[in-house]
Amino acid sequence: MITEDLADFGAALPPMRPLLGLDLGTKTIGVALSDRLLGVGTALETIKRKKFTADADRLATLVKTHEVAGLILGLPRN
């Protein structure tokens, strides 16, 4: 069950650190940040894709700035 999987996932994370959610598109990367209790996610920014290294550098900066514990990647439905 999904709820059990999420509980196991949450137990493996450092406490009181947010998650960064990524919606990977061909032209942009949508970025959302959870609160530190992992209850709510809020849109943070949209990264206009350039080159892999530039995109990765921006994401690394966000991870460091917000003390992110982990990343969640959105999967396309279609």
Side-chain angles (χ1 to χ4, degrees):
M1 183 171 203
I2 292 176
T3 306
E4 292 169 359
D5 292 340
L6 289 176
D8 292 341
F9 177 73
L13 294 171
M16 300 303 293
R17 291 184 56 192
L19 297 175
L20 204 62
L22 304 178
D23 182 11
L24 302 171
T26 56
K27 296 182 181 183
T28 61
I29 301 172
V31 182
L33 183 68
S34 77
D35 64 352
R36 291 186 177 269
L37 296 176
L38 306 179
V40 177
T42 305
L44 185 61
E45 72 175 75
T46 301
I47 300 170
K48 291 184 182 179
R49 296 191 76 169
K50 297 173 185 169
K51 292 187 176 185
F52 176 80
T53 52
D55 300 343
D57 287 344
R58 181 64 190 140
L59 290 172
T61 299
L62 291 172
V63 166
K64 185 176 179 181
T65 301
H66 296 284
E67 300 176 338
V68 171
L71 303 174
I72 296 179
L73 304 177
L75 297 175
R77 302 279 299 185
N78 299 340

